[in-house]
Amino acid sequence: DTRPLQASAQQRPSGGFLRVGSFSGPAGVGLGGDILVHADGAADLPTGQGVFLLSDRQLSKAGLSALTLQTSGGVTFGAGSQLTLADGGKLTVDAGRTINFDGTVIARSGAVSARTYELAGTIYRSALAATGSVFTTADDVKFAYAAGEALPGLFDINVNGTLDVSGLWSNDFLSVNTLPTGQAFNSGGAISLTVAPKVLVAEGSDVESAKYAADLSGSIRLAKDALLNVSSGGYVDAAGALVLTARGGSVSLINATTYASLSQTPGVID
């Protein structure tokens, strides 16, 4: 846990931190399975090996300030799920395959950071990048795809639900015989979605004879009903004055893919 934690009695204590995954730091990436955060009591959940199941209710009731999910496979927040972290909390998702936000994630005035990776090098040099989940071959990347063959979207981030890091509205004018809430967590938080760039494989019958490359780089796909909420809140003080110093948060959608050429070009010496 590398977070700055409470250092004095005047500072607010931090909530718990839970990390689930196959990573052990930047230099310790290992093969893992898929991770599913599901609605508590959901039917038709995957059975057997290969999918690590996490209940949204159990995670939310834990009062976590930080949750990190890391795996070479994919991560899905299932439809109907609602994960709630403590105010100011942070959700971090690092995955070697697709990340799906089909439910709701709430971290008021907090942060959501999700990223897909071509892990430990390129497809041709890294078994981690080529394999994805160790429990299935369905998400393996082939070294070559035939011309016209449908290309898989293995490094995408899909948002069909809600990511809510909006600020709180607090009213101490109505705080009678209770402790004041103050202006903590009134500003909007941060959402960052980053997909794996420049994931290229051969287009043709095999790598040696291929003259063109196929692009498997990640895409960020936001459904028309998806919501990324980084709006600010506000505060009413004990005298009834409205304080509007809170600020909205930030949204970063990052796809760093750049192209030189997807076709083989002869060397030229000028």
Side-chain angles (χ1 to χ4, degrees):
D1 189 349
T2 59
R3 297 174 298 154
L5 302 177
Q6 184 185 31
S8 70
Q10 286 71 43
Q11 293 179 330
R12 188 174 186 271
S14 297
F17 168 44
L18 173 64
R19 185 180 71 86
V20 177
S22 58
F23 295 7
S24 58
V29 179
L31 286 169
D34 295 331
I35 297 175
L36 171 61
V37 179
H38 62 86
D40 191 62
D44 301 323
L45 294 176
T47 58
Q49 291 184 325
V51 181
F52 194 89
L53 301 177
L54 295 168
S55 163
D56 63 344
R57 181 176 179 273
Q58 288 181 318
L59 291 174
S60 299
K61 289 292 185 180
L64 298 171
S65 286
L67 173 63
T68 296
L69 305 177
Q70 297 173 314
T71 181
S72 62
V75 178
T76 295
F77 295 81
S81 65
Q82 179 171 307
L83 169 66
T84 302
L85 300 181
D87 297 338
K90 181 175 183 179
L91 171 67
T92 302
V93 183
D94 298 317
R97 290 295 182 265
T98 299
I99 299 172
N100 297 303
F101 291 103
D102 296 330
T104 298
V105 175
I106 301 173
R108 304 297 294 273
S109 194
V112 174
S113 176
R115 183 169 183 169
T116 60
Y117 292 84
E118 192 176 13
L119 293 172
T122 65
I123 295 297
Y124 297 110
R125 294 184 174 90
S126 169
L128 284 168
T131 300
S133 170
V134 72
F135 296 99
T136 179
T137 59
D139 63 357
D140 288 0
V141 176
K142 298 191 296 186
F143 289 166
Y145 288 80
E149 182 178 357
L151 299 176
L154 298 176
F155 299 93
D156 297 345
I157 295 179
N158 303 308
V159 182
N160 299 301
T162 296
L163 303 180
D164 185 357
V165 296
S166 59
L168 295 173
W169 283 89
S170 303
N171 191 339
D172 280 339
F173 184 65
L174 299 179
S175 297
V176 179
N177 299 322
T178 61
L179 291 174
T181 57
Q183 300 183 57
F185 308 118
N186 290 154
S187 292
I191 297 173
S192 176
L193 308 178
T194 306
V195 289
K198 296 178 282 189
V199 183
L200 303 178
V201 295
E203 181 180 278
S205 58
D206 56 69
V207 176
E208 288 72 19
S209 64
K211 295 183 179 180
Y212 301 94
D215 181 16
L216 302 184
S217 304
S219 297
I220 300 172
R221 305 181 187 277
L222 307 179
K224 65 178 181 179
D225 296 324
L227 174 63
L228 306 183
N229 189 356
V230 296
S231 60
S232 69
Y235 175 63
V236 178
D237 66 20
L242 182 62
V243 180
L244 296 177
T245 56
R247 296 186 177 185
S250 64
V251 175
S252 301
L253 306 177
I254 303 171
N255 184 338
T257 295
T258 56
Y259 300 102
S261 175
L262 294 181
S263 61
Q264 187 182 61
T265 55
V268 177
I269 299 178
D270 188 358

